[in-house]
Amino acid sequence: MMIVMKATATEQELQTVIARVQSVGARTHMIRGDELTVIGAIGDREHVARLELEGTPGVDRVVPILKPYKLASSQIKHGERSVLEIGGRKLGGPHFAVIAGPCTVESREQTLQTARIVHEAGATMFRGGAYKPRTSPYAFQGLGQEGLRLLAEAKAQTGLPIVTEVMDARDLEPVLEVADVIQVGARNMQNYALLSEVGRSGRPALLKRGLSSTLEELLMAAEYILKEGNESVMLCERGIRTFETAYRFTLDLMAIPVLKQMTHLPVIVDPSHAAGRRDLVMPMSLAAAAAGADGIIVEVHPRPDEAICDAAQQLPADEFADYVERVQAAAAVAGKALWEAPMTTGSFG
Ligand code: PEP
Ligand code: MN
């Protein structure tokens, strides 16, 4: 159930409603929007209904949430978009983000060089995998803790927030030491124990759509994170399995506008893993940005042909500045602007 408070409701009235909802064993999630405060009551609908909260001081109305994904639904925010704040950068609403970096942290030189180049080109955040989900157990699995250390160094040098994947809840502690955003990969989208742990960590999360998952399943997965009180979740369309074999996956661009009807959460797109081919990354990025995506996560490597992992799809770092410029223009078509570092003002004694 969704308890919509009056604009004039006092803090005391809010707390009273929360206490009453909790007294029947339901969980409460307060969502303070710009205009309205809503209390989501998650639990037995009958028990909450019996409280007859309509008419209670401060309460405007009580509305059932019809979707199975309650906290992720656009209904709970009355159509208002969620804007995530990550290391001083904004993502969502009018704010477009470019998250860029190598597939995998391979070496100090490769990581720091890429971080410097994407930073100079205006990237919003730096991505790089230390723990890699690989189809083959014999393939390189990532540098693990050493990879995390290199990501920390990249952050120290550029100030870029770090996006990196956690595959196992046992690695969450070291990952939390460097990650500004925890990525849950496509193959773990329905790892509910991991999602709950990521939710409890409170750290912003980037949740990728499973290879064969429906949008509703993606939102139910996001709900596991949100349910733990973590409101900073972005969803990522990264291509799904279809019968087509000419490219790695099929990028589902319609997921962007449709997810935006279903949820208030920001939606970003990964053209690299969808395409599996470098030549498709630019056109798909432009299409995604123009279709209203809140950001792009893209793979960039100083020498893609030498990359240990996903060599065919990584953009060469020396082409990245041009890439950002064009994607930025496409995002502007959808009314979005790339976050820009504020100009440092000199101080005059
Ligand atoms: C990745 O972004 O590094 C990755 C492995 O992506 P996905 O989980 O979408 O395959
Ligand atoms: Mn990759």
Side-chain angles (χ1 to χ4, degrees):
M1 303 286 262
M2 194 168 93
I3 302 140
V4 185
M5 300 301 290
K6 289 181 178 153
T8 54
T10 64
E11 190 58 33
Q12 181 60 46
E13 287 168 342
L14 217 63
Q15 293 309 327
T16 306
V17 171
I18 290 173
R20 289 194 60 199
V21 171
Q22 290 176 349
S23 74
V24 295
R27 293 166 75 126
T28 53
H29 285 268
M30 180 137 60
I31 295 158
R32 289 185 199 264
D34 283 343
E35 284 163 24
L36 282 176
T37 298
V38 170
I39 299 166
I42 314 296
D44 191 313
R45 185 185 288 193
E46 293 302 311
H47 290 178
V48 179
R50 232 174 285 139
L51 289 170
E52 295 186 354
L53 288 168
E54 237 148 17
T56 306
V59 173
D60 183 39
R61 58 191 188 281
V62 179
V63 198
I65 306 173
L66 303 171
K67 303 290 185 199
Y69 44 90
K70 311 283 179 200
L71 299 168
S73 73
S74 40
Q75 193 192 352
I76 202 152
K77 282 221 167 177
H78 285 265
E80 205 178 289
R81 312 280 340 145
S82 280
V83 175
L84 310 192
E85 282 214 42
I86 297 151
R89 277 87 169 154
K90 288 186 176 170
L91 183 154
H95 311 284
F96 188 84
V98 175
I99 304 168
C103 174
T104 308
V105 174
E106 298 170 7
S107 69
R108 182 167 186 272
E109 185 262 339
Q110 168 251 10
T111 304
L112 299 183
Q113 190 184 358
T114 315
R116 189 173 40 74
I117 292 171
V118 301
H119 178 239
E120 279 167 12
T124 328
M125 296 179 225
F126 186 60
R127 67 145 286 153
Y131 297 93
K132 295 303 299 176
R134 302 304 302 278
T135 303
S136 165
Y138 306 114
F140 175 62
Q141 306 285 309
L143 290 179
Q145 299 227 9
E146 171 60 8
L148 295 175
R149 204 190 58 69
L150 295 174
L151 288 171
E153 206 173 336
K155 181 174 166 178
Q157 288 195 7
T158 61
L160 288 175
I162 301 295
V163 180
T164 197
E165 177 164 354
V166 69
M167 295 212 305
D168 187 319
R170 286 172 292 190
D171 300 321
L172 195 53
E173 215 178 289
V175 168
L176 281 169
E177 277 175 31
V178 292
D180 295 282
V181 177
I182 305 173
Q183 179 172 324
V184 176
R187 291 155 190 83
N188 262 320
M189 189 204 85
Q190 287 180 314
N191 182 340
Y192 299 123
L194 181 64
L195 295 171
S196 298
E197 284 293 336
V198 169
R200 282 193 280 276
S201 78
R203 196 63 53 85
L206 188 168
L207 177 61
K208 291 195 144 191
R209 180 181 182 182
L211 315 186
S212 310
S213 299
T214 65
L215 298 182
E216 183 165 305
E217 285 163 344
L218 172 61
L219 291 172
M220 293 306 285
E223 194 76 10
Y224 270 88
I225 302 175
L226 297 165
K227 182 171 166 285
E228 299 302 328
N230 185 345
E231 293 176 17
S232 297
V233 179
M234 65 184 98
L235 306 170
C236 180
E237 161 58 33
R238 47 79 70 217
I240 49 173
R241 270 270 146 74
T242 67
F243 53 80
E244 185 51 71
T245 55
Y247 25 81
R248 198 172 177 188
F249 294 94
T250 300
L251 185 63
D252 179 11
L253 286 172
M254 269 188 290
I256 305 163
V258 173
L259 277 172
K260 289 191 166 217
Q261 289 164 14
M262 298 167 87
T263 179
H264 56 87
L265 298 172
V267 178
I268 69 166
V269 168
D270 177 345
S272 307
H273 289 92
R277 280 168 43 183
R278 191 169 306 130
D279 60 320
L280 300 179
V281 171
M282 176 72 92
M284 289 302 96
S285 301
L286 297 178
D294 296 301
I296 299 279
I297 179 166
V298 62
E299 289 187 341
V300 181
H301 194 286
R303 292 165 303 280
D305 294 337
E306 293 171 23
I308 298 179
C309 175
D310 287 348
Q313 72 197 30
Q314 306 206 50
L315 293 181
D318 59 4
E319 291 175 16
F320 186 66
D322 172 57
Y323 170 86
V324 173
E325 210 169 292
R326 293 184 62 189
V327 171
Q328 207 169 347
V333 171
K336 289 172 186 294
L338 190 64
W339 180 91
E340 279 183 42
M343 301 274 279
T344 42
T345 49
S347 87
F348 301 93

